């Protein structure tokens, strides 16, 4: 049976899960599918979306699905952190904004670290920033050949998050990770697959069909065995990953207040305003 | 001088090493070669073979050879754990069987972790399960292009062993490891080489000739330097690998008693009985 | 502004940095470039060069450049440790020589571990031994397709250094690392790139032009962001890398006095004398 929820923020009186403003969540065939749903904004992650993904992952971890999928609606997987987040300054000023953002980011990434079932990214288009770095915490990453993978942290005066400072040097080599994370090199889907960040690349024309056929087969495997195998593989890293996440967020909290970052964001937003 | 032993279980009165029922062990040109020798059973590992491989590795670690090779006779490298092992239930019942199997497996894998000389797999054909996972503990893995690599743990209601829950995410990326260990994806020899599990692939027609020419050259290198280099490379991991091995065996001991596993094994054996 | 220093060993009275006998060091466009400059000796590293590289890296870590580059003059990147170092025996004998060499090597490698800015190797030709192993500590390794990568430690009765016993199994797989470090397999530039040791390979004809165009673009990125991103990525490993370095040097100190090594070095030097 299919369940589709969106548009409401509170749990329904009939016990259905809460709706979402920025997501569409469905569950059928043993698969819970979380779709980023701000297609006109390239699925950029605003504060609301960070919260809702956290809630949706928590719900998926407890529902009766076998595997969980994250994907995007429209042309993009996600363009990453919505830079207009930087313009919404609370009464406590930029320091409070930076502190709140670090807490939000840390909780968000923590949900990926702790997710107990197989977690699969269906990368339907370009991915940027936090949408790229968190891929290192997925159990499979299937990508259309149209996707690209870009983490321009240095260009924005920023530093790595999503545990990428730890997972990327392990997944790739340290120098290939540095090209992405320090020098901001953008990878094609094929390059990302060669580097191990993407598990398999599909032609865009058959992408959805091939991937969902495969995922439906996976979802029929014994669910406890999959969950326990993931636990055996991942539990060795959990403590380390949470420590990395905390450190990355702490460094970013300072970077957000740096001249390098402020200048880069102002420059970006003023270019955008002129368009 | 060449030494060939098989067929006897006890050390000979003349001081020659013990014979084996399931292996052929030879030693010449500085190379001790351990051949899995149940070709009509695709070199499936029964309890006897687990014990004998352990004994053969212990003997090889102390003989005067420079390097040690594991390979299979016939078409298969090894089809992995002999599932008929599950049908040999002791008087203590299935719980005792699971406990004994966990001890057997832990000791078996422990011998690979501790092996002090260069250890090389000559993968002459398809490999399944424990024959695949232990490859992460070898110093070189040479494979015919005819080989495949398959770890269908979830299909059997089981979970990873042979330290693969630790070595595979390091060798490949975590998501490529998950495809094998959680979703049971079978790799070709070329794919396994791209992922780093196999060191080099050779055309089947020239496989044996090319590999043994190379191994004979390796065996002429200074033996102490090789042993010490291996020690420097591997000693950083030994304690971790033994802990991983213990945890994997402990989880498997429970999995073997699970409904998911029991159903899968009964289904497998009944299909086999109908053939 | 460009600064070029060579030929003097002491800092100039006018405050310019010290000159070097075995290096040419320049700094412009935000890039400090350290060039190994013994082209008639294939940039083999003699004791003087080890010291001078250490000094040059310390100076580069404090100057106002954004990134630092190591490269070679002439046809070779570096043929590695100058084996004539073995013939310069102090009054304390070979034991003292081995002890001094271990201290020299440990300090040398320690500078690469601690280097705080992006460190990039421009591999202009073949690399051997310590010139290969230290590549695992760089943030990017760009190579001409003419280069090869060779660590014939076992052939010389030696064992791995430069933290390669730790970095190579992480960068490649353990078995691909063992092929280089234990069995002395020489890699082409393309193979080294596939293995992750090299970040990107360029045709020799356009190598210098393409690489320096890229490096000049990198040097314009926010310098603090790059330094802090490197710190976040690398600080997790520093303590471990220093321990690995200490252990490798300690093992080598013994290997240098072994019969296997002495015989190999005498054989090498006598072959060289006959040419």
């Amino acid at each position: 049976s299919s369940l589709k929820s969106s548009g409401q923020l509170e749990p329904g009186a009939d016990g259905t899960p809460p709706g979402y403003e920025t997501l569409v969540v469905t569950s059928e065939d043993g698969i819970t599918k979380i779709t980023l749903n701000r297609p006109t904004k390239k699925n950029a992650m605003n504060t609301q979306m960070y919260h809702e993904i956290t809630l949706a992952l928590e719900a998926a971890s407890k529902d009766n699905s076998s595997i969980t999928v994250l994907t995007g609606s429209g042309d993009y997987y996600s363009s990453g952190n919505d830079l207009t987040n930087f313009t919404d300054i609370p009464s406590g000023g930029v320091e409070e904004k930076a502190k709140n953002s670090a807490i939000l980011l840390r909780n968000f990434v923590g949900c990926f670290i702790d997710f107990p079932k197989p977690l699969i990214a269906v990368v339907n288009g370009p991915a940027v920033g936090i949408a790229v770095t968190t891929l290192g915490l997925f159990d499979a990453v299937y990508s259309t050949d149209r996707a690209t993978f870009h983490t321009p942290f240095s260009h924005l005066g920023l530093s790595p998050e999503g545990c990428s400072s730890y997972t990327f040097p392990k997944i790739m080599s340290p120098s290939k990770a540095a090209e992405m994370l320090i020098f901001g090199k953008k990878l094609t889907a094929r390059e990302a697959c060669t580097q191990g960040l993407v598990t398999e690349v599909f032609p865009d024309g058959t992408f959805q069909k091939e991937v969902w056929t495969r995922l439906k087969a996976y979802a029929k495997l014994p669910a406890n065995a999959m969950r326990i195998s993931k636990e055996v593989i991942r539990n060795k890293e959990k403590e380390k990953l949470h420590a990395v996440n905390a450190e990355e967020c702490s460094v970013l909290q300072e970077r957000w207040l740096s001249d390098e970052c402020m200048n880069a964001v102002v420059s970006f937003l003023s270019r955008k305003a002129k368009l």
Side-chain angles (χ1 to χ4, degrees), chain A residues 26-121:
Chain A
T26 61
S27 194
E28 60 182 323
D29 298 330
I31 304 172
T32 292
K33 177 183 173 187
I34 302 169
T35 304
L36 311 181
N37 195 33
R38 298 181 76 212
T40 59
K41 300 291 184 184
K42 300 177 179 173
N43 299 319
M45 295 195 192
N46 58 10
T47 303
Q48 177 82 356
M49 194 188 278
Y50 282 108
H51 280 302
E52 291 189 359
I53 292 173
T54 302
L55 291 172
L57 287 174
E58 277 169 10
S61 73
K62 292 169 196 152
D63 70 17
N64 61 3
S65 65
S66 296
I67 63 176
T68 299
V69 171
L70 193 67
T71 191
S73 66
D75 290 336
Y76 267 66
Y77 176 66
S78 168
S79 58
N81 190 45
D82 191 330
L83 291 184
T84 61
N85 289 344
F86 284 101
T87 62
D88 175 28
I89 306 301
S91 59
V94 289
E95 283 81 6
E96 189 183 323
K97 174 72 185 175
K99 189 180 167 193
N100 293 345
S101 298
I103 292 168
L104 180 74
L105 181 62
R106 186 173 166 182
N107 288 341
F108 176 78
V109 173
C111 281
F112 288 84
I113 297 172
D114 286 331
F115 196 73
K117 299 173 181 180
L119 181 64
I120 293 143

Side-chain angles (χ1 to χ4, degrees), chain A residues 66-67 120 140 142 213-222 226:
Chain A
S66 296
I67 63 176
I120 293 143
Y142 298 124
T213 301
R214 184 177 304 190
L215 293 177
K216 281 171 191 171
Y218 287 172
K220 291 193 179 111
L221 291 170
M226 288 199 289

